[in-house]
Amino acid sequence: MQLPQFSDVQAAAGRLRGRAHRTPVLRSATADARTGASLFFKCENFQRMGAFKFRGAFNAIVQLSPAQRRAGVITFSSGNHAQAIALAARELGVRATIVMPADAPAAKLEATRAYGGEIVAYDRFAEDREALTRRLATERGLALIPPYDHADVIAGQGTTALELFEEAGPLDALFVCLGGGGLLSGCALAAAALAPACALYGVEPEAGDDGRQSLRAGRIVTIAVPKTIADGAMTTHLGELTFPIIRRHVGDILAVSDDALIAAMRFFAERMKMVVEPTGCLAAAGAFAMAPQWRGRRVGVIVSGGNVDLAAYARWLAPGADA
Ligand SMILES: *Cc1c(COP(=O)(O)O)cnc(C)c1O
């Protein structure tokens, strides 16, 4: 099993040039005043299809052999990875099959279809999606690109931190959202090479703190599907590739409550005029919680995505609302 290296992140940056957006790094005087730190927000909510996942998807598909490209790709996801694969595949002239639950939100099914993905619906309660995806991949000769446990996906996601360090300069700490760990492990490769003294934190939802448990246990801990508004971080375990990288480079993993995510979502809307989805608020909520420790320091925060159901978003922003 070959772990990706920093050189793979650099190579991914070359492949993504002109294909992915170089997203802005935004500052907020209010956030700095509140925390006493200098915060640098890397805004992947402005990435193509609305989240960093386009980076990994494109970096994986563009490296397939001509025969694999002709055959097409397949993945399982009901979230941002589905849209990322559909869009990246369309750009590269590759057919994409996405295995999604039949009862996925209509907006997500539509968005994936609009990017050109062919949806295979399955029954969440009766079928195992990974097994179904693997079977279809074998039967149809499709290349399977999973959401996080894939070397090219990890390297692609790592370009997020690479760009942040290029733009913001040295940082004392970096906070990254954590689901299956593709983003965190990729960013860890960049941080370890470019800023070895930078403290690295993963932030996951309190209800699904399998990453924290895994770091403490020294092995991958699997949990039940967590109940949280952070739908992009409802993963039940880290990956065979992501865990060893996280274990080597990440200082600590924090867990934040859904209420802290709502507070961060409101902060982004009110003060920075940005729509950020709940999962995209994890790193900011972690940075706000740890602020006293980082007073006077330079702190990076990855804002991972902005795809949110508008009705739910309106409810969360309404005064007095909680999770
Ligand atoms: C997928 C996703 C995450 C989690 O990324 P992993 O690589 O699975 O850790 C965080 N935020 C958003 C917006 C996502 O779509």
Side-chain angles (χ1 to χ4, degrees), residues 299-313:
V299 174
V301 174
I302 300 208
V303 180
S304 57
N307 293 326
V308 60
D309 175 72
L310 281 185
Y313 187 64

Side-chain angles (χ1 to χ4, degrees), residues 109-278:
L109 292 165
E110 261 159 47
T112 305
R113 224 175 261 129
Y115 285 129
E118 184 205 323
I119 293 170
V120 173
Y122 74 101
D123 178 354
R124 225 149 43 89
F125 303 100
E127 287 171 283
D128 171 28
R129 70 172 187 173
E130 292 201 33
L132 172 64
T133 308
R134 281 178 213 291
R135 183 165 58 74
L136 288 173
T138 309
E139 278 173 15
R140 302 183 185 181
L142 306 173
L144 170 56
I145 303 177
Y148 54 88
D149 214 18
H150 187 292
D152 301 332
V153 171
I154 292 168
Q157 320 304 34
T159 61
T160 311
L162 180 70
E163 290 177 7
L164 173 58
F165 284 112
E166 281 173 2
E167 190 141 339
L171 296 172
D172 300 303
L174 175 62
F175 289 81
V176 184
C177 316
L178 173 60
L183 181 63
L184 179 58
S185 58
C187 288
L189 295 174
L194 298 173
C198 177
L200 191 55
Y201 294 98
V203 188
E204 61 188 351
E206 227 161 45
D209 69 337
D210 61 288
R212 186 167 64 175
Q213 292 184 41
S214 301
L215 207 58
R216 298 209 170 135
R219 62 179 172 82
I220 299 172
V221 171
T222 299
I223 58 167
V225 178
K227 260 204 150 95
T228 167
I229 61 170
D231 59 337
M234 286 171 67
T235 40
T236 58
H237 56 86
L238 298 177
E240 302 285 334
L241 297 175
T242 61
F243 178 63
I245 299 172
I246 289 170
R247 201 176 170 198
R248 185 176 317 152
H249 297 298
V250 174
D252 203 2
I253 294 178
L254 322 171
V256 298
S257 68
D258 280 5
D259 285 342
L261 296 180
I262 291 177
M265 210 182 312
R266 285 188 186 146
F267 168 80
F268 282 128
E270 189 170 29
R271 296 294 175 161
M272 296 183 73
K273 320 304 165 195
M274 298 204 297
V275 177
V276 183
E277 63 184 276

Side-chain angles (χ1 to χ4, degrees), residues 16-163:
L16 289 170
R17 200 161 294 132
R19 307 306 289 261
H21 293 318
R22 195 180 168 96
T23 53
V25 176
L26 299 184
R27 310 289 316 272
S28 159
T30 308
D32 288 0
R34 266 191 206 173
T35 58
S38 298
L39 296 178
F40 297 82
F41 295 96
K42 174 66 170 167
C43 295
E44 287 295 295
N45 52 315
F46 297 130
Q47 187 49 267
R48 301 195 61 189
M49 56 59 58
F52 69 91
K53 288 222 172 57
F54 181 76
R55 296 173 182 269
F58 188 92
N59 187 50
I61 298 174
V62 77
Q63 292 185 75
L64 294 175
S65 70
Q68 283 176 312
R69 281 205 198 194
R70 272 193 302 278
V73 297
I74 187 167
T75 196
F76 50 87
S77 167
S78 51
N80 287 330
H81 182 65
Q83 292 170 55
I85 288 288
L87 176 61
R90 186 178 72 185
E91 296 234 328
L92 293 164
V94 173
R95 280 183 38 209
T97 303
I98 320 283
V99 178
M100 291 179 93
D103 61 352
K108 289 193 167 170
L109 292 165
E110 261 159 47
T112 305
R113 224 175 261 129
Y115 285 129
E118 184 205 323
I119 293 170
V120 173
Y122 74 101
D123 178 354
R124 225 149 43 89
F125 303 100
E127 287 171 283
D128 171 28
R129 70 172 187 173
E130 292 201 33
L132 172 64
T133 308
R134 281 178 213 291
R135 183 165 58 74
L136 288 173
T138 309
E139 278 173 15
R140 302 183 185 181
L142 306 173
L144 170 56
I145 303 177
Y148 54 88
D149 214 18
H150 187 292
D152 301 332
V153 171
I154 292 168
Q157 320 304 34
T159 61
T160 311
L162 180 70
E163 290 177 7

